[in-house]
Amino acid sequence: MVRFGIISEIQPGPEPWEAGLEARLYRETLDQLVRAEAVGFDYAWLVEHHFLTGYSSSSAPEAFLGWLAAHTSRIRLGHGVVQVNPPTNHVLRIAERAAVLDIISEGRLDVGMGRALTHIELEAFGMDPAHTRRAQEEVIDILHGVWSSERFSWKGEHYALPEVRVHPRPVQSPHPPLWMAATQPGSLQVAARKGVGVLALGLGSPDLLRQPIADYRAAVAGAHPASGFVNNQVAAAVPMFCAETDEEALETFGPHLETFFAYVADYIIGPWRNTESESYSFYRDLASDRLIDLPALTPDQVTGLSPAAAAAKAGVLSGFFCVGSPETCARCVDRWRDIGIDQLVLNCQLGKLPHESILRSLDLFGQEVVPRFAV
């Protein structure tokens, strides 16, 4: 009925940092993903970000996924996402690394692709924001072709590839499932046209995504990628924290949600405020409006709650956050299931939330919520 994923930013949170913090976070993230497999999660997704101090220290997900493959046996391992701009990751190196990961994980790899959200990542690697969408579409076409052809060549706007034979080949045939990050509504139609799955990373509430998902389902039926493999799936990502009571969950997680969204505003939304690139106009428009349109709470609904917990509760009521008791979390999953998602991806490690709190949350969610939606 619903599959569950977990996505990791490897987020250090605000400075100052104690000595060895990033190294400790890597070990803790591994423990969290191993625990997620043990309690019934189906997917583990790793982000790729660069230069976003405090927000993410996950700059080499392919290395981490190889480490994770050695410590797990069932959970699927996903790039959520690999950045596909040519200066950052050459498409043939993406294909080669993905094939190796598919081999060492015994066919458990999913490849999500994204064009980078932040201005600093594009600027540092020398990528013109106006070209990222076309480059992304070209990479998707090349990956479909290079994994379904014994020999492959390509002549396009961003790549001119001589005839090559890429080795090794993936275990999965014709190739691992391909996904595309969707952080603005129009991306779902691009994914549908290319025949790849949707990773809706923080796009909004179930109500806002209901129609875009329906439109995606209608359009993806007409996709004809070179490999013939259409990955007709939609995954939506939400922050999650599960505790015995709603109040405990809201008070524990609320301050860390505030930290997370402060980073989103500083790194993702704010820098696009004055952009002239229509490719990132969605974020320019967000900069002049509220990041999340949360419902107003009545006085009774906020009684006894801190401001951070009250803001988190508003997000829960909108369906944007999955924070609360097992019953509240199950109601959140129901709302997403009802609009037709295949997978709910949970972001559990935000701000400086302690490792032990994350493990307890995963255990409770796995014991009380996951079995209700077993595929």
Side-chain angles (χ1 to χ4, degrees), residues 249-303:
L250 293 168
E251 293 291 354
T252 301
F253 204 49
H256 305 287
L257 276 168
E258 285 191 334
T259 297
F260 177 78
F261 282 104
Y263 280 131
V264 170
D266 289 344
Y267 281 129
I268 299 173
I269 307 302
W272 294 113
R273 187 181 303 276
N274 299 315
T275 184
E276 296 180 359
S277 171
E278 287 305 309
S279 188
Y280 287 83
S281 60
F282 177 76
Y283 308 110
R284 179 190 64 210
D285 297 340
L286 275 180
S288 61
D289 200 353
R290 288 196 299 174
L291 180 59
I292 308 170
D293 188 17
L294 298 179
L297 301 181
T298 66
D300 287 344
Q301 289 174 315
V302 299
T303 298

Side-chain angles (χ1 to χ4, degrees), residues 16-90:
W17 299 343
E18 65 269 25
L21 172 64
E22 289 179 299
R24 174 170 63 79
L25 282 175
Y26 267 77
R27 293 188 295 270
E28 290 178 351
T29 299
L30 178 70
D31 290 345
Q32 291 159 20
L33 300 183
V34 170
R35 182 68 63 88
E37 178 183 69
V39 300
F41 281 61
D42 304 288
Y43 287 78
W45 299 94
L46 262 293
V47 306
E48 179 184 345
H49 281 305
H50 305 275
F51 324 118
L52 307 186
T53 303
Y55 179 75
S56 176
S57 290
S58 180
S59 57
E62 66 281 355
F64 189 100
L65 289 170
W67 191 29
L68 181 59
H71 287 81
T72 55
S73 61
R74 181 191 58 81
I75 199 166
R76 292 194 64 84
L77 314 177
H79 278 287
V81 297
V82 58
Q83 293 189 14
V84 297
N85 298 315
T88 312
N89 290 298
H90 191 285

Side-chain angles (χ1 to χ4, degrees), residues 23 33 40 43 55-56 69 106 122 140 145 156 159 161 200 209 223 234 259 277 286 311 314 330 354 367:
L33 300 183
Y43 287 78
Y55 179 75
S56 176
E106 298 182 319
L122 296 173
I140 293 172
Y159 284 102
L161 306 178
L209 275 175
V234 176
T259 297
S277 171
L286 275 180
Q367 293 161 7

Side-chain angles (χ1 to χ4, degrees), residues 45-222:
W45 299 94
L46 262 293
V47 306
E48 179 184 345
H49 281 305
H50 305 275
F51 324 118
L52 307 186
T53 303
Y55 179 75
S56 176
S57 290
S58 180
S59 57
E62 66 281 355
F64 189 100
L65 289 170
W67 191 29
L68 181 59
H71 287 81
T72 55
S73 61
R74 181 191 58 81
I75 199 166
R76 292 194 64 84
L77 314 177
H79 278 287
V81 297
V82 58
Q83 293 189 14
V84 297
N85 298 315
T88 312
N89 290 298
H90 191 285
V91 64
L92 295 181
R93 294 291 288 131
I94 293 172
E96 291 170 338
R97 292 196 302 256
V100 171
L101 279 171
D102 202 41
I103 289 169
I104 65 177
S105 67
E106 298 182 319
R108 289 188 283 140
L109 183 70
D110 284 59
V111 180
M113 296 166 285
R115 57 198 182 104
L117 278 172
T118 69
H119 190 277
I120 185 60
E121 290 174 287
L122 296 173
E123 182 180 20
F125 284 109
M127 186 68 188
D128 186 337
H131 294 170
T132 58
R133 175 68 80 197
R134 297 197 302 275
Q136 182 183 46
E137 294 191 38
E138 198 168 328
V139 166
I140 293 172
D141 290 340
I142 291 171
L143 289 178
H144 274 297
V146 79
W147 277 329
S148 60
S149 307
E150 182 64 22
R151 297 177 180 274
F152 183 80
S153 62
W154 180 267
K155 180 68 173 178
E157 179 182 356
H158 295 92
Y159 284 102
L161 306 178
E163 189 174 271
V164 293
R165 300 179 69 188
V166 173
H167 295 288
R169 310 293 287 185
V171 170
Q172 297 176 86
S173 181
H175 53 74
L178 298 179
W179 303 71
M180 196 185 93
T183 56
Q184 49 185 312
S187 296
L188 276 77
Q189 284 299 301
V190 178
R193 188 170 69 251
K194 295 297 180 181
V196 299
V198 170
L199 289 171
L201 303 176
L203 260 178
S205 69
D207 292 340
L208 291 174
L209 275 175
R210 183 184 300 275
Q211 190 58 51
I213 289 174
D215 294 342
Y216 166 83
R217 297 295 191 193
V220 77

